[in-house]
Amino acid sequence: MAKTYEGGVPLVEVVRSGFVEGLHRGSVVVLDAAGATVAGAGDVGSPVFPRSSSKPMQAIGMLRAGLPLTDPADVALVSASHAGEQFHLERVAALLRRAGLDESALHCPPDLPVGEAAREAVLRAGGGPTRIQMNCSGKHTGMLSTCVAAGWPLDGYWRPEHPLQRRLTAAIEEFTGEEAAAVGVDGCGAPVLAVSLTGLARAYLRLVAAEPGTVERTVANAMRAYPELVGGTQADDTRLMRGVPGLLAKVGAEGVIAAAVPGVGAVALKIDDGAARARMPVLVSALRRLGVAAPVLTEYAEVPLLGGGLPVGAVRAVW
C-alpha cells in the first residue's frame, strides 16, 4: 500500500444556470458481494483517514474488550456521530451514569450539536458548547465504559498506547485487512487510523456478511435497527439506512462515506476537498452500479443549487 494518498479524479460537477462553475475531485471503490472490485475511480489503494466511518469497527473492539451493552440502541449510539438531539443526549447521559461517570470524564471537546435544529434550540435557550453535545460523545462514552468494565485506567483512554486503543486498532486492522499506515488525532481527540478506501469497503462488507451472533453482526444489526441514533433525524446515513433495506452506512468527516448491502456489495469514497455536498451523488452512482434501487437514492442523486432562493442548478455526479 502506498504511503501517501495521491488524490482523486473529477467525480462531481457543480452546475449553475446551465454553466459548470466547479468540480469536486475524489476517489471511490465499489466491491461486489464476494469482495472483488467491480468499479472505481481515483486512488483507492493508498491510505486515507476514514474519520467517523471507522466507528463500527471501533464499536466491535469495545464489545470484544468487555463493553457491557445488551440494548442494541446503546450499541448504535457508541457507533454514532449523533446530531445532538435530545434523545441522543439523554441516552449518552444514561450510559455515563451506568458506568458511574458524568460528562466531566469525556475527553471529546465541548461543542454545539451538529444537527441544525438541535443547535438552534440550544442557542435559543441561551446554552453553549458542552462535551455531551459533541457528536462523538457516544463513542467516547463507550470507550470510558469499556475501560471501567476491563479495569483499565480512565486517564489517557484516548491515547494510542492505552490498552483500549490498542484493542480498537486491532479491530480496524482485522476488518480492513490492512496494517494502519498512520495514526492521527481525530476531531474528537481519539485516534484515527489511515487505511485505504478498498480496505474500508472490505470492512463494511464483512460486517453485513457476518454470521448471526457474532460481535460484528451485532454492531451492524444495531446500527441498521436504530439509524436515528447513528446520525440524527435528518442525517444522510440515517435516511439511507431507513430507505434501503439491509444497507449499513456511516459518514465520516472530510467527504468520506462507506456503505454495504448484504449479498450485494460495498462502497467507500472520499471527496478530496471534504465537501459534504459532493458525497451523496457519488454514493448514489456507486450503489446503482451494484443494482441498488430505492426512492431515497433518487432524492440524493442531485443536490439542488439555489439562486435568489430558487433552484437554478445542481451538484451531480459525472462518474
Side-chain angles (χ1 to χ4, degrees):
M1 186 168 63
K3 293 296 184 183
T4 304
Y5 176 61
E6 297 178 355
V9 298
L11 296 178
V12 174
E13 63 181 7
V14 182
V15 183
R16 183 178 297 276
S17 303
F19 179 81
V20 178
E21 68 170 348
L23 295 168
H24 292 287
R25 303 172 68 90
S27 300
V28 55
V29 64
V30 184
L31 307 181
D32 66 16
T37 301
V38 295
D43 183 3
V44 301
S46 298
V48 299
F49 284 139
R51 304 298 295 274
S52 287
S53 293
S54 297
K55 285 179 177 175
M57 287 77 77
Q58 292 174 311
I60 290 169
M62 294 181 221
L63 290 169
R64 285 179 171 178
L67 176 61
L69 297 183
T70 56
D71 188 339
D74 291 333
V75 176
L77 188 62
V78 302
S79 310
S81 299
H82 65 70
E85 296 171 84
Q86 191 60 35
F87 63 92
H88 296 127
L89 306 185
E90 290 174 356
R91 188 169 285 272
V92 172
L95 283 175
L96 283 168
R97 288 194 300 271
R98 196 181 310 165
L101 304 170
D102 59 29
E103 184 176 348
S104 66
L106 296 170
H107 178 68
C108 53
D111 204 354
L112 290 168
V114 296
E116 183 177 354
R119 183 172 60 252
E120 290 178 353
V122 169
L123 294 174
R124 282 197 306 270
T130 64
R131 294 184 188 277
I132 202 169
Q133 290 174 159
M134 200 272 170
N135 69 329
C136 296
S137 67
K139 178 182 77 173
H140 279 256
T141 297
M143 290 179 176
L144 285 164
S145 300
T146 303
C147 290
V148 170
W152 292 329
L154 302 185
D155 184 43
Y157 75 87
W158 59 90
R159 296 193 176 100
E161 64 272 16
H162 191 281
L164 168 74
Q165 297 302 335
R166 291 185 184 277
R167 295 291 190 95
L168 306 195
T169 294
I172 291 172
E173 292 183 335
E174 174 188 344
F175 282 88
T176 61
E178 298 176 359
E179 183 178 346
V183 180
V185 180
D186 212 336
C188 67
V192 59
L193 307 184
V195 296
S196 72
L197 289 172
T198 299
L200 182 61
R202 186 186 302 123
Y204 274 66
L205 191 61
R206 291 184 64 178
L207 263 66
V208 299
E211 290 295 323
T214 59
V215 174
E216 51 267 37
R217 182 64 173 269
T218 295
V219 171
N221 284 353
M223 293 175 67
R224 291 179 291 187
Y226 295 94
E228 284 83 6
L229 288 171
V230 174
T233 306
Q234 297 300 320
D236 292 340
D237 41 16
T238 295
R239 295 189 62 225
L240 280 171
M241 288 189 281
R242 278 288 180 224
V244 181
L247 182 139
L248 174 70
K250 183 70 190 69
V251 300
E254 295 300 324
V256 175
I257 190 168
V261 180
V264 176
V267 177
L269 66 92
K270 174 178 173 59
I271 303 302
D272 288 355
D273 62 9
R277 69 176 182 176
R279 184 166 50 196
M280 297 306 291
V282 179
L283 181 65
V284 169
S285 178
L287 289 173
R288 285 175 170 171
R289 290 165 191 258
L290 289 170
V292 179
V296 69
L297 298 186
T298 301
E299 295 176 31
Y300 275 121
E302 295 188 355
V303 177
L305 280 182
L306 302 182
L310 299 174
V312 297
V315 179
R316 64 194 185 194
V318 293
W319 173 76

